[in-house]
Amino acid sequence: MKQPLANILPVAPTPFHPDGRVDEDGMRRVIDCMIDQGVDAICILANYSEQFLLSDDERSLLMRLSLEHADGRVPVIVTTSHFSTGIAMERAQAAQSMGALMIMMMPPYHGSGLYPAAQGIFEHFEAVSNAISIPIMVQDAPLSGVTMPVDLLARLARELENVSYFKIECPFAADKLAALIEAAGAYIEGPFDGEEAVTLLADLDAGATGTMTSAMFPELIRPIVTEYRGGNKDAALAQWQKCLPLINHENRQCGLRAAKVVFKEGGVIGSDHVRHPLKPMSERTRTRLLELARDLDVMALRWGK
């Protein structure tokens, strides 16, 4: 990679037909829409892609389809998390062989209480790093139930050649980002935040160089990062304040369903189906989401019309 990835690397939703089957053409349209949104890279098979509801065959299908359809137009990041170190290695190798520019991994966990000690987590990432030659983004998120202290994250950065990106989306993310950059900044190419950019300004203050949001409206969130990094902090703050009601509604009320609802409304995909046991969005929540999105003239609402 000639230049480190920065700015905005959103997560692609996985479209399903109303009967729950993977919508392959819809996935291609998702990729095209995201490229038109001006993203700096696309992340697939992440939690907001409903990766935990996909079979292994579906994962392989979506990875190949997405990488082939993106066709180098933007970098593609493939999430390869698994509790098994061996399976995580196999997934990472497959992603690299198909053309992924980076992989993203959470620490190994199963439920909220089954995970290895710090050394086991290090060895898990070490094995994957040794198996590939592309960068790894470490995802530090509350979903795993695993606490990864700064000293462990810094050790991953210092000692593992391919571990050079970090997505920090735990409580008090800005403090953790700042501490991680202080401890191992020379080894980190991409300190990122997540959580739909709800803490983005604080995280940029702490040294983040980008964000990984959903795919709902990256064309409006990206300028927050680029203005800030360009020294225009007042403009970044103004844009963040403009986007914040929709960011907050997505983060606190909608979750991964938000991008799918907006993409369906705009004709990007044919259905906003989420797989059981997830439930569709309430009409109340949906109405507010679309009102906020229309107020901002979100691109996805008009992309397919």
Side-chain angles (χ1 to χ4, degrees):
M1 194 185 307
K2 294 180 180 179
Q3 294 292 332
L5 288 182
N7 301 327
I8 193 162
L9 325 176
V11 172
T14 300
F16 301 113
H17 293 291
D19 63 3
R21 291 177 297 115
V22 169
D23 181 357
E24 296 181 37
D25 186 58
M27 190 71 233
R28 294 183 183 95
R29 289 171 64 80
V30 165
I31 297 295
D32 288 339
C33 179
M34 293 178 71
I35 290 171
D36 286 348
Q37 289 168 324
V39 303
D40 296 280
I42 294 172
C43 181
I44 63 171
L45 301 177
N47 295 324
Y48 259 39
S49 312
E50 295 174 74
Q51 59 90 10
F52 37 77
L53 291 165
L54 298 171
S55 70
D56 289 345
D57 286 345
E58 289 170 333
R59 283 184 54 88
S60 296
L61 167 67
L62 287 162
M63 180 166 60
R64 185 177 299 280
L65 182 158
S66 298
L67 284 160
E68 288 180 352
H69 192 68
D71 193 27
R73 289 178 289 168
V74 295
V76 176
I77 303 163
V78 178
T79 306
T80 60
S81 305
H82 199 280
F83 185 82
S84 163
T85 301
I87 294 174
M89 291 168 60
E90 291 171 0
R91 287 182 172 183
Q93 290 171 324
Q96 177 173 318
S97 71
M98 290 186 196
L101 191 76
M102 183 187 300
I103 65 162
M104 183 168 74
M105 291 171 52
M106 297 184 77
Y109 72 97
H110 187 75
S112 61
L114 182 57
Y115 52 86
Q119 181 60 26
I121 293 172
F122 178 87
E123 291 168 359
H124 182 84
F125 280 96
E126 180 181 38
V128 175
S129 179
N130 289 341
I132 59 175
S133 59
I134 57 176
I136 297 171
M137 176 180 279
V138 178
Q139 183 178 8
D140 182 13
L143 178 66
S144 70
V146 181
T147 299
M148 290 196 289
V150 169
D151 61 351
L152 172 59
L153 296 174
R155 184 187 175 201
L156 291 171
R158 287 194 303 264
E159 297 185 24
L160 303 182
E161 180 179 359
N162 294 316
V163 176
S164 52
Y165 288 78
F166 293 82
K167 180 185 180 185
I168 306 298
E169 48 186 349
C170 58
F172 307 105
D175 288 344
K176 194 165 190 177
L177 275 163
L180 177 59
I181 292 167
E182 182 178 0
Y187 300 89
I188 298 172
E189 293 190 323
F192 275 72
D193 92 336
E195 286 287 281
E196 295 73 67
V198 75
T199 61
L200 180 54
L201 255 290
D203 297 335
L204 289 169
D205 288 339
T209 59
T211 185
M212 184 178 285
T213 64
S214 80
M216 186 168 63
F217 66 130
E219 79 280 3
L220 297 179
I221 297 177
R222 188 179 189 274
I224 303 170
V225 182
T226 57
E227 292 285 5
Y228 190 101
R229 298 184 70 217
N232 304 316
K233 294 184 180 181
D234 289 343
L237 175 59
Q239 182 69 8
W240 186 64
Q241 290 171 327
K242 177 181 175 182
C243 295
L244 193 53
L246 182 52
I247 290 171
N248 183 70
H249 190 67
E250 178 184 27
N251 178 261
R252 303 299 295 172
Q253 305 298 328
C254 305
L256 62 83
R257 300 170 298 180
K260 301 183 89 165
V261 166
V262 168
F263 274 32
K264 177 182 182 294
E265 187 72 14
V268 182
I269 56 179
S271 169
D272 57 14
H273 179 84
V274 290
R275 282 183 168 174
H276 194 272
L278 298 180
K279 299 291 186 182
M281 191 180 297
S282 72
E283 193 58 37
R284 179 192 67 255
T285 303
R286 178 191 181 92
T287 297
R288 176 62 66 188
L289 172 69
L290 293 176
E291 286 176 351
L292 291 168
R294 289 190 184 104
D295 285 346
L296 291 176
D297 191 26
V298 166
M299 180 188 292
L301 281 177
R302 46 187 164 79
W303 186 86
K305 294 182 176 179

